[in-house]
Amino acid sequence: VQLQASGGGSVETGGSLRLSCAASGFTLNSGSTAWFRQAPGKEREAVISSRPYGGVTYYEESVKGRFTISRDNAKNTVYLQMNSLKPEDTAVYYCAASRRGLVGSLRYTATSYDYWGQGTLVTVSS
């Protein structure tokens, strides 16, 4: 099983980026998927989580209205669309997938996820 994350880069405040996470050896619709991020000197935190077959179940408060998660089932890929980016969004972003649908606090708990992408760096300058 492999998750390949891509799409990170450097943008100015207010800009947009779309991250991609392509899965192989595993069908993303089997369970929940999520994006986490880790800023320098901080713990990894969940940003957004999606239930099996789509639909957001969890947003980190600071990204509500700015970030969305979507899937392309034919490509077995999940996306994170990030708009109105802020310097505090600067972090390494990781995609994660679970073999089952997650509920409650499991949705934003890193240890709930079975597979992880390698991380892609997003830098937002002021």
Side-chain angles (χ1 to χ4, degrees):
V1 175
Q2 186 175 19
L3 300 182
Q4 183 68 42
S6 62
S10 297
V11 296
E12 294 183 348
T13 298
S16 297
L17 281 174
R18 189 178 79 157
L19 306 184
S20 300
C21 179
S24 59
F26 173 74
T27 301
L28 288 174
N29 282 342
S30 300
S32 296
T33 59
W35 288 91
F36 287 72
R37 67 185 178 187
Q38 187 165 18
K42 295 187 177 181
E43 294 186 354
R44 189 173 300 189
E45 65 173 357
V47 174
I48 193 168
S49 173
S50 173
R51 62 173 60 90
Y53 294 98
V56 177
T57 65
Y58 170 79
Y59 281 107
E60 198 277 324
E61 188 65 30
S62 69
V63 308
K64 284 184 179 179
R66 301 188 298 122
F67 290 13
T68 58
I69 187 171
S70 62
R71 300 176 188 231
D72 184 329
N73 295 328
K75 295 182 178 180
N76 203 25
T77 298
V78 62
Y79 303 97
L80 177 64
Q81 179 66 45
M82 305 184 292
N83 299 325
S84 302
L85 282 162
K86 305 175 181 180
E88 51 264 43
D89 295 318
T90 294
V92 177
Y93 284 73
Y94 300 88
C95 57
S98 171
R99 293 190 295 266
R100 59 196 174 107
L102 301 174
V103 297
S105 62
L106 296 178
R107 298 170 295 167
Y108 47 85
T109 302
T111 54
S112 302
Y113 291 86
D114 302 296
Y115 309 116
W116 290 83
Q118 82 281 15
T120 184
L121 177 62
V122 173
T123 303
V124 185
S125 59
S126 58

